[in-house]
Amino acid sequence: MKKKNQTSDKVVAKKMSAEAADREAATSSRPCTPPQTSWFEFLLEESLLENHLKKSDSDPSPVQLIVQFLEQASKPTVNEQNQVQPPTDNKRNRTLKLLALKVAAFLKWDLDILEKSLSVPVLNMLLNELLCVSKVPPGTKHVDLDLSSLPPTTAMAVMLYNRWAIRTIVQSSFLVKPVKQGPLQPNIMNQIQQEKELTENILKVLKEQAEDSITVLEGSLKMKRDFYAHTMRTLDLLAMEPGMINGETENSTAGLKISSEEMQCQVSYDLGTVYFHQGAINPLCYEKARDRFFNTKQLLSKIGAASNLFSIDDKRLAGYCQACGVLAPSNLVVQQSTPYSLIHSYMKAGNYQGILKIFLEDNATCSLPDQFRQSILRELFQKSQQGNEALSEICFKICACNTICDILHGRPVGVQFNQLFMRPNREKIDYILEVCSKSLKFEQATESERRTIASFLKNLCMGMDDLQLVFMISSHELFIKLLTEDERKVLVEQIRKRTSRVNLCTKPVTSFYDIPASASVNIGQLEHQLILTMDPWRIRQILIELHGMKSDSQYWMVSHKWEVPMIYSGIILGIKDNLTRDLIYILMAKGLHCSAIKDFLYAKQLLSACLELVTEFSPKLRQVMLNELLLVDIYTHEAVQNPPVERLPPELVSRVRGYLEMRIPDIPSRQIVAEECVAFLLNWRENEYLTLQVPLSLVQSNPYVKLGQLLSATCKELSGPDSRRTAKELWEVVVQICSVSNQHKRGNDGRISLIKNRDSTMGIMYRSELLFFLKKLREPLVLTTLLSLFVKLHNLLEDIVNDITAEYISIWPSAIPNPQAVDVDAVSVTVKELVTYTLTINPNNHSWLTIQADIYFGMLSYFSGGGWFTLFI
């Protein structure tokens, strides 16, 4: 009988092969559309399946292949008496089922993919077949199995089936909109009805076994071992020895490895969904769901999003956690939950400041629905009317947050806001301005949003009688940004007319440019405050008051210590508006002073305020401020990197490169900015960039960039074939800087400088400036290379018995063409100062200590030299 089946299989295979050939010949006239591979072709060629699945646009798709394989394997047969018989258990059908399992293995048993594309009956058949090949006896209750004693792939198959079981139960509870279909033929209707009945029967069984599935999965969470899922290879091994599992397939290292944390993460999530589903009947299940979901979040944060086998929808998980935080709150939930559950908890606890903080933070995105915001306000308002007077202020602030959110979304100001704002005061105005500032991200806001907030603030000004409150709004930074000077003047005139008409005030209204002097404050006191304060906003307020008293004075000259480099001051002092000129000059002078004394926090605040001012009217000054802020950020970064860390700061590196590649013409820039940028890149070993990517024009025009490029090229090629060539270029530049010749002049300070030659790319650089630059470097290889160069130069110039030894000394030239032109004393001092500096970076560096000892030995200072030698002998 077996031989007869095998013969019939061969005949069928030959017929199928002939049919495939005929089909391919028939479709050869359509070269643009490759023929679809038929299911039976995978029976004829073993390697075809894997090659087919590796294609990005395989046709048929993997899930379609699973359906075709299982459909063919489960087709009933008709005997000679025309009686329908169940599918026979022959080699062909076993192979088809195995092929279906191999496709699922290729998909890494991803239930999200399988559930989305396969019907419940097909997936049930597939997973039952997996249990069968994994040697789980049919009819055995999974709850009676000891997973820890099963082979890894068998345990994995049991867990996969039970995961699918509870997921299917949960999915079946969701309402699904029926797909509209046209008239169907009777046979298709019968098929649909049969599949529906079969699905209902399977779901009935799964629901009866739900508690068993939950118990199995809960038990799996206690297992602290890795799991292994079948792969295409392990399934092939099963096919080689039908009826028994190969030793390798039972091996603990066979198959696709899934770590214990990954498995627990996915099982916890699946259990959480089924407990949440059961919570509608048993509220205690919500607590179980909460614990499982938060366990999932903890495991996700530990293992990361990537997984060999599983994928969890972060947004869906967050939604479940949010719901559990409300339905079953706990201390853990409060710490990790979303705004909804936090507000729910704060309302219960009476923590109204916490609610206010959430509303204020949410105003930047307005993610809380308007209905939810209004419901919270109504609840608080009711409590306030019941006698809780302390809530009156909270109600106004919540209402202010809601109102700003409303107007940003095009909704009108509500009646409730106008009622609560009938008696304005300084605290209310302050809070409204704070909400407006935090809600409107000025740089990212659209023009429509800016105009909306501007109109709202103008209407507030027009609706108030107290001119001091009007001034609070009209002098606020946001208001000045939102309205042009002409718009502010028009508003001032309107308020003047209104106030004179109702005779509210005989004094002119206060505005940004027009503030009356206070009787208790004189100009001298204000100037003294102007010198002392470091707050940008306070500086601006003082200047407004000073210009209101005496507008033609030059307040930037109040302190002789306010110094701005000449390349900047010419532009700033050319600003026509006196108030703007004074404000920018003073802010920049104070910012540069703070940077010089290493008070980087204040420096950044002052320069950032300056940047905001100049952005609107001067692109040139804007770039100047960006350059100075970059310098402060480099100083700040270097100051906190002690000891230095190995991680590259990508954002700062990008900004440094942007500065060096800047193409904007006529932008004044201090030499120190380029100097610090080059030192920063050298310290972070950006040799590739400095060597190959720095613009040629910058290399030719900036001596520090040229020096940095040569240094990085030399360090990069130290062990390469071009080491001598790159070293020679650096050598020639350093010799040129240290030379005394007719091409040099002495400056007013007595320092010798290099006069720029037509063929020189170094520009003018003093030796002392070179040393000052070198002392900004801290990268060991760069410092070692520089020491090596100066030691070699020192050895060639000094008439000493014993040369100083150093690493990489062989890469430098062995002679100087004109030694008389080189300043010997300058080289000697540079070597000593440089080695002293390097030892402050690393006092235990063997090579640097050796150089220090050799210097002392050459100076006949044996005690000092011996002292250094004892450190490493």
Side-chain angles (χ1 to χ4, degrees):
M1 182 66 183
K2 185 176 180 181
K3 187 177 290 186
K4 183 178 180 182
N5 285 338
Q6 290 176 349
T7 304
S8 63
D9 286 347
K10 290 179 181 179
V11 172
V12 171
K14 286 181 181 180
K15 288 182 179 179
M16 289 178 175
S17 180
E19 289 172 8
D22 292 340
R23 178 171 50 79
E24 188 171 354
T27 57
S28 60
S29 60
R30 301 194 301 268
C32 296
T33 307
Q36 186 184 64
T37 309
S38 289
W39 60 269
F40 59 80
E41 294 180 53
F42 298 99
L43 289 170
L44 306 176
E45 185 178 347
E46 292 183 359
S47 61
L48 180 61
L49 179 63
E50 192 167 354
N51 294 332
H52 178 83
L53 293 174
K54 288 179 180 178
K55 296 177 184 177
S56 58
D57 55 346
S58 56
D59 186 18
S61 66
V63 287
Q64 287 174 335
L65 279 177
I66 292 175
V67 173
Q68 291 178 15
F69 291 149
L70 293 180
E71 184 180 46
Q72 295 298 324
S74 60
K75 271 189 175 181
T77 60
V78 180
N79 61 15
E80 295 175 356
Q81 288 78 31
N82 282 335
Q83 294 174 331
V84 177
Q85 302 292 321
T88 56
D89 183 21
N90 55 25
K91 182 179 180 181
R92 168 187 173 277
N93 288 346
R94 286 196 299 270
T95 304
L96 285 169
K97 292 176 183 177
L98 191 64
L99 288 173
L101 291 174
K102 289 174 71 174
V103 176
F106 175 82
L107 297 174
K108 296 184 177 180
W109 305 102
D110 190 334
L111 287 179
D112 287 335
I113 297 175
L114 297 174
E115 289 170 342
K116 183 179 179 181
S117 306
L118 300 179
S119 64
V120 171
V122 172
L123 195 45
N124 179 62
M125 183 179 178
L126 179 73
L127 294 178
N128 272 292
E129 187 60 26
L130 175 64
L131 293 172
C132 183
V133 300
S134 300
K135 297 306 171 192
V136 177
T140 304
K141 284 191 174 183
H142 294 174
V143 73
D144 297 332
L145 296 172
D146 181 7
L147 293 182
S148 60
S149 65
L150 297 176
T153 50
T154 305
M156 184 67 206
V158 172
M159 292 173 63
L160 189 65
Y161 178 87
N162 287 282
R163 279 186 53 225
W164 168 75
I166 63 173
R167 286 164 65 108
T168 304
I169 294 169
V170 173
Q171 287 293 329
S172 67
S173 67
F174 299 153
L175 293 175
V176 180
K177 185 177 180 181
V179 180
K180 290 184 179 180
Q181 295 177 332
L184 298 176
Q185 298 198 5
N187 60 335
I188 297 178
M189 291 180 64
N190 289 337
Q191 290 176 8
I192 294 174
Q193 185 61 31
Q194 288 175 8
E195 184 172 326
K196 183 179 178 182
E197 292 175 358
L198 185 56
T199 301
E200 290 175 354
N201 292 334
I202 293 172
L203 282 172
K204 182 180 178 182
V205 174
L206 293 179
K207 289 176 181 178
E208 290 173 354
Q209 298 174 351
E211 290 305 316
D212 286 354
S213 293
I214 292 172
T215 303
V216 169
L217 293 175
E218 285 286 0
S220 71
L221 293 178
K222 300 174 184 177
M223 298 172 63
K224 304 300 181 183
R225 73 176 193 186
D226 294 334
F227 295 83
Y228 291 84
H230 273 300
T231 61
M232 296 181 75
R233 182 172 181 276
T234 58
L235 290 169
D236 276 332
L237 292 173
L238 292 176
M240 289 168 59
E241 300 184 43
M244 57 180 275
I245 293 182
N246 183 290
E248 186 177 352
T249 61
E250 291 185 321
N251 192 301
S252 60
T253 60
L256 175 64
K257 180 180 177 181
I258 302 101
S259 68
S260 174
E261 290 82 6
E262 285 178 297
M263 177 59 76
Q264 288 184 18
C265 182
Q266 184 64 59
V267 170
S268 293
Y269 178 76
D270 292 335
L271 284 170
T273 60
V274 75
Y275 285 141
F276 192 90
H277 168 70
Q278 294 175 341
I281 301 172
N282 180 7
L284 292 177
C285 288
Y286 285 127
E287 295 182 9
K288 294 182 181 179
R290 176 200 66 203
D291 295 340
R292 288 291 164 244
F293 285 132
F294 281 99
N295 185 42
T296 304
K297 288 187 70 173
Q298 290 175 350
L299 288 167
L300 271 179
S301 63
K302 181 179 179 181
I303 64 178
S307 171
N308 281 334
L309 194 60
F310 309 126
S311 59
I312 293 175
D313 187 341
D314 290 336
K315 291 184 179 179
R316 197 171 186 85
L317 174 61
Y320 274 124
C321 291
Q322 175 185 313
C324 289
V326 175
L327 295 168
S330 71
N331 293 333
L332 180 63
V333 173
V334 171
Q335 293 173 9
Q336 301 181 0
S337 56
T338 56
Y340 296 93
S341 52
L342 280 174
I343 291 172
H344 182 80
S345 302
Y346 289 158
M347 288 290 283
K348 280 187 175 180
N351 183 0
Y352 303 119
Q353 290 297 331
I355 297 172
L356 187 60
K357 182 181 177 183
I358 292 174
F359 269 64
L360 186 57
E361 290 174 350
D362 184 73
N363 259 48
T365 57
C366 289
S367 58
L368 293 174
D370 179 58
Q371 296 83 355
F372 179 79
R373 284 171 163 268
Q374 296 301 333
S375 68
I376 295 296
L377 179 58
R378 280 194 298 271
E379 190 171 343
L380 292 173
F381 199 72
Q382 288 171 1
K383 290 184 178 181
S384 173
Q385 290 180 328
Q386 291 169 1
N388 192 343
E389 295 181 358
L391 280 178
S392 298
E393 181 184 354
I394 296 294
C395 286
F396 169 76
K397 290 183 175 181
I398 293 287
C399 186
C401 290
N402 289 352
T403 300
I404 302 303
C405 198
D406 283 340
I407 63 175
L408 282 173
H409 285 78
R411 296 186 288 267
V413 177
V415 175
Q416 195 169 20
F417 175 80
N418 292 323
Q419 291 174 338
L420 294 172
F421 196 65
M422 285 182 67
R423 295 181 180 178
N425 54 37
R426 297 182 67 88
E427 289 73 25
K428 289 182 178 181
I429 297 294
D430 269 334
Y431 191 77
I432 289 173
L433 291 171
E434 180 186 355
V435 176
C436 288
S437 299
K438 291 186 176 180
S439 303
L440 185 75
K441 301 295 183 184
F442 190 84
E443 299 298 332
Q444 293 85 25
T446 64
E447 187 62 26
S448 174
E449 290 172 337
R450 294 180 186 181
R451 301 313 302 170
T452 300
I453 294 294
S455 298
F456 171 73
L457 294 177
K458 283 166 63 178
N459 291 335
L460 285 185
C461 290
M462 293 297 295
M464 290 188 294
D465 299 330
D466 189 334
L467 297 181
Q468 293 299 321
L469 298 181
V470 173
F471 166 66
M472 284 182 64
I473 297 176
S474 64
S475 62
H476 192 270
E477 180 184 13
L478 178 64
F479 189 82
I480 295 167
K481 281 183 177 181
L482 290 171
L483 272 72
T484 64
E485 183 178 349
D486 291 337
E487 287 175 323
R488 293 197 296 273
K489 287 180 179 178
V490 170
L491 178 63
V492 168
E493 191 63 28
Q494 289 174 342
I495 295 176
R496 278 178 175 160
K497 288 179 180 178
R498 180 175 59 82
T499 53
S500 62
R501 185 167 59 249
V502 297
N503 197 25
L504 288 174
C505 182
T506 57
K507 295 186 296 181
V509 67
T510 54
S511 69
F512 182 79
Y513 293 102
D514 182 17
I515 301 175
S518 171
S520 61
V521 180
N522 57 41
I523 291 178
Q525 289 174 318
L526 286 173
E527 288 181 344
H528 182 66
Q529 292 178 24
L530 188 63
I531 292 172
L532 294 179
T533 186
M534 304 300 290
D535 178 22
W537 180 241
R538 181 60 186 147
I539 292 170
R540 179 181 167 282
Q541 287 180 313
I542 293 171
L543 282 173
I544 290 173
E545 294 192 46
L546 285 171
H547 276 271
M549 299 174 184
K550 194 174 181 182
S551 61
D552 57 346
S553 294
Q554 295 180 331
Y555 293 105
W556 62 272
M557 299 179 66
V558 166
S559 174
H560 69 279
K561 292 185 178 181
W562 291 341
E563 295 181 356
V564 172
M566 287 291 293
I567 55 173
Y568 299 156
S569 61
I571 304 174
I572 296 172
L573 297 179
I575 297 173
K576 293 181 180 180
D577 183 79
N578 292 341
L579 173 58
T580 306
R581 175 203 64 198
D582 291 347
L583 182 56
I584 293 174
Y585 188 96
I586 294 170
L587 286 174
M588 188 168 195
K590 285 176 175 281
L592 294 177
H593 172 73
C594 288
S595 179
I597 63 173
K598 301 187 185 305
D599 192 345
F600 302 127
L601 180 61
Y602 272 120
K604 189 159 187 177
Q605 288 178 358
L606 290 158
L607 291 172
S608 296
C610 208
L611 173 64
E612 290 183 22
L613 280 171
V614 302
T615 294
E616 295 298 325
F617 68 89
S618 177
K620 186 178 291 187
L621 280 176
R622 178 181 180 275
Q623 191 58 53
V624 166
M625 298 307 166
L626 287 173
N627 294 347
E628 291 297 330
L629 280 168
L630 172 62
L631 185 60
V632 171
D633 286 340
I634 291 175
Y635 285 153
T636 305
H637 185 270
E638 295 297 319
V640 299
Q641 303 303 316
N642 193 17
V645 297
E646 293 300 320
R647 190 171 61 85
L648 188 73
E651 188 268 340
L652 192 53
V653 170
S654 177
R655 288 171 59 200
V656 168
R657 289 182 176 185
Y659 170 80
L660 294 177
E661 296 168 7
M662 185 172 57
R663 296 288 194 276
I664 306 174
D666 303 325
I667 298 295
S669 181
R670 293 196 293 157
Q671 183 77 283
I672 187 68
V673 182
E675 186 180 335
E676 290 292 344
C677 284
V678 172
F680 176 83
L681 292 176
L682 285 169
N683 287 335
W684 284 98
R685 298 180 287 279
E686 288 286 292
N687 295 333
E688 196 76 27
Y689 176 80
L690 283 170
T691 306
L692 302 174
Q693 299 179 41
V694 176
L696 182 61
S697 58
L698 188 63
V699 174
Q700 293 173 341
S701 62
N702 193 304
Y704 293 101
V705 177
K706 175 68 175 177
L707 185 62
Q709 185 189 59
L710 294 173
L711 254 175
S712 59
T714 304
C715 293
K716 184 183 171 188
E717 296 291 339
L718 274 177
S719 303
D722 291 337
S723 59
R724 288 182 178 273
R725 179 184 60 79
T726 54
K728 184 181 179 183
E729 293 178 11
L730 178 61
W731 170 272
E732 289 173 350
V733 165
V734 172
V735 169
Q736 188 182 20
I737 293 173
C738 296
S739 294
V740 182
S741 68
N742 295 331
Q743 297 172 355
H744 290 70
K745 67 177 181 180
R746 190 174 296 276
N748 294 331
D749 58 355
R751 296 183 299 181
I752 296 175
S753 64
L754 175 64
I755 298 178
K756 186 174 181 180
N757 297 319
R758 181 171 298 178
D759 60 343
S760 172
T761 59
M762 280 306 297
I764 299 174
M765 183 184 286
Y766 298 118
R767 183 199 62 83
S768 57
E769 288 175 341
L770 171 65
L771 188 59
F772 184 72
F773 171 73
L774 299 184
K775 287 184 178 181
K776 297 178 186 296
L777 305 176
R778 53 178 175 77
E779 208 286 314
L781 184 59
V782 173
L783 292 174
T784 299
T785 304
L786 285 166
L787 275 174
S788 174
L789 186 155
F790 279 101
V791 163
K792 181 70 173 184
L793 193 56
H794 179 272
N795 288 345
L796 292 175
L797 294 171
E798 289 279 4
D799 186 15
I800 53 177
V801 177
N802 294 315
D803 286 347
I804 302 173
T805 57
E807 291 185 87
Y808 310 115
I809 205 162
S810 61
I811 66 173
W812 310 109
S814 56
I816 304 172
N818 187 13
Q820 292 79 17
V822 181
D823 188 337
V824 179
D825 292 338
V827 173
S828 180
V829 170
T830 302
V831 172
K832 293 171 187 175
E833 288 193 27
L834 190 56
V835 74
T836 301
Y837 165 71
T838 57
L839 287 170
T840 64
I841 302 296
N842 182 3
N844 299 318
N845 187 292
H846 184 279
S847 173
W848 302 345
L849 286 170
T850 303
I851 295 172
Q852 179 77 288
D854 283 348
I855 290 172
Y856 283 131
F857 189 79
M859 294 165 54
L860 305 181
S861 180
Y862 301 123
F863 176 77
S864 298
W868 286 106
F869 273 123
T870 58
L871 290 175
F872 51 87
I873 290 178

